[in-house]
Amino acid sequence: MFEFSWPWLFMLLPLPLLLRLFKPATSDTQTQLRIPGFARHNLASQVAKQHPRNINVLEWLIWLLLVCAVANPTWLDEPITLPNEGRDIMLAVDLSGSMTEQDMAYQGQYVDRLTMVKAVLSDFIEQRQGDRLGLILFGDTAFLQTPLTRDVKTVSQMLSEAQIGLVGRATAIGDALGLSVKRFANRDESNRIVVLLTDGQNTAGNLDPEEALLLAREEGIKVYTIGVGSDNPRGFSLFNMGGASGGSLDESLLKRIAEQTGGLYFRAKDVAGLQQIYQELDKLEPISADEQTFRPQSSLFYIPLLMVLAIVTLRVILITARTFKQEA
């Protein structure tokens, strides 16, 4: 549908005529609507001679197009209904040094743990249409990489750019969980979910995991924990040449966090193990909210402006060609 954003601006249409009526007759040529290209080629005087008491039709057309541009013509597409169901999901991903261990089978080869997490979790993120996702990265401490947003592409991009050791080599599980709880403040109306992925045990941070667990329980936040690491480590790690095996994983803590918050614990020994969380999260009851609709709109103000430019340019070319012909 076509409409003008500010149709009341069409009240300006008679302005050139009003200016002419209230100016002395001796100033006709000075009060006409001026176009720079016209003046340069002495077009104003030509117009005055041809129409001494009226504004030229071409000038009226130009003025009309300028007013149309100022009124901002807009094209409105069909209404689009936004998703009215969704969940708030905060992803907390471990970037400690042990995530470099190459013990995860993925697409016929062994890759490090973070590479596998990125590959599988990216697919999960792209399927979260209608949900709000956030991303927390943790090592020696935890920091918010992406706040809760429906822009899942940005969350996926931020995850893909994460690097091992970005926030240190240790594992601050308590800080990661505590920061996740903090980011859910003032969102009581949603299903608040934390997906925490780690391959180790809490070795750093300012907040004890048990204290973070208590905060999550008090806030009613459901935590799904994922322990990453194969039972058959291949013995190579960039930060630990002896190989940080899956045995360093504090499964008892992760299970306790999940159980006491109403979530589930997964052991991701391979791709299939990590993908289990897809089906479980899809079973959660989504949150209904007021339906929201919007109509995509495209501003078309540039079209009348281009028409004005074309008219003026064509007129100048014609006058110039005529002048050169007369001089020749």
Side-chain angles (χ1 to χ4, degrees), residues 145-160:
Q145 182 74 344
T146 306
L148 288 167
T149 176
R150 293 188 189 275
D151 186 0
V152 295
K153 290 185 178 180
T154 296
V155 178
S156 181
Q157 178 66 26
M158 292 296 100
L159 175 63
S160 67

Side-chain angles (χ1 to χ4, degrees), residues 32 44-45 47 57 60 75-78 82 101 129 137 144-145 156 187 190 218 239 257-258 269 274 288 306:
Q32 295 183 39
S45 61
V47 170
V57 175
W60 271 116
W75 177 261
L76 297 178
D77 290 332
E78 293 299 320
L82 295 175
E101 186 169 354
Q129 299 297 331
L137 305 176
L144 181 68
Q145 182 74 344
S156 181
R187 289 189 177 272
S190 67
E218 291 178 349
F239 292 99
I257 292 175
K269 301 178 182 179
L274 185 54
S288 296
L306 289 176

Side-chain angles (χ1 to χ4, degrees), residues 8-242:
W8 54 270
L9 287 175
F10 281 101
M11 297 175 62
L12 295 175
L13 279 178
L15 182 61
L17 182 59
L18 294 176
L19 290 176
R20 185 177 182 84
L21 291 175
F22 288 99
K23 288 292 183 178
T26 56
S27 61
D28 281 345
T29 58
Q30 282 75 26
T31 59
Q32 295 183 39
L33 177 66
R34 297 294 184 181
I35 305 297
F38 281 39
R40 182 178 302 172
H41 295 278
N42 200 26
L43 301 180
S45 61
Q46 297 181 33
V47 170
K49 292 177 181 178
Q50 296 174 5
H51 306 277
R53 301 185 64 83
N54 298 290
I55 297 177
N56 185 272
V57 175
L58 190 59
E59 291 180 333
W60 271 116
L61 176 60
I62 292 174
W63 176 246
L64 174 62
L65 291 173
L66 290 175
V67 173
C68 286
V70 174
N72 191 27
T74 304
W75 177 261
L76 297 178
D77 290 332
E78 293 299 320
I80 296 178
T81 301
L82 295 175
N84 65 343
E85 298 180 341
R87 292 150 288 202
D88 287 346
I89 304 176
M90 185 64 71
L91 304 173
V93 180
D94 187 353
L95 293 184
S96 61
S98 57
M99 290 290 284
T100 61
E101 186 169 354
Q102 299 179 355
D103 64 344
M104 308 302 293
Y106 179 70
Q107 295 184 345
Q109 60 181 348
Y110 281 95
V111 298
D112 64 76
R113 296 170 178 175
L114 182 60
T115 298
M116 190 272 290
V117 167
K118 285 182 179 181
V120 180
L121 196 54
S122 294
D123 293 336
F124 168 76
I125 291 173
E126 292 176 0
Q127 297 177 27
R128 298 303 98 204
Q129 299 297 331
D131 292 337
R132 288 181 289 263
L133 267 67
L135 178 63
I136 288 176
L137 305 176
F138 65 97
D140 289 351
T141 186
F143 72 94
L144 181 68
Q145 182 74 344
T146 306
L148 288 167
T149 176
R150 293 188 189 275
D151 186 0
V152 295
K153 290 185 178 180
T154 296
V155 178
S156 181
Q157 178 66 26
M158 292 296 100
L159 175 63
S160 67
E161 295 177 358
Q163 299 295 325
I164 297 292
L166 183 64
V167 283
R169 305 182 182 183
T171 309
I173 295 177
D175 283 5
L177 182 55
L179 181 57
S180 299
V181 173
K182 181 180 179 180
R183 299 309 302 182
F184 279 129
N186 301 323
R187 289 189 177 272
D188 295 335
E189 75 287 354
S190 67
N191 278 343
R192 298 174 297 171
I193 302 165
V194 175
V195 180
L196 190 149
L197 301 94
T198 182
D199 70 337
Q201 49 190 308
N202 191 75
T203 58
N206 300 314
L207 186 62
D208 185 86
E210 298 296 338
E211 296 177 354
L213 171 57
L214 181 60
L215 292 175
R217 289 177 56 187
E218 291 178 349
E219 293 295 328
I221 297 172
K222 188 176 295 187
V223 183
Y224 288 82
T225 56
I226 302 176
V228 180
S230 172
D231 287 334
N232 300 304
R234 292 170 58 82
F236 176 78
S237 173
L238 179 64
F239 292 99
N240 182 357
M241 299 305 294

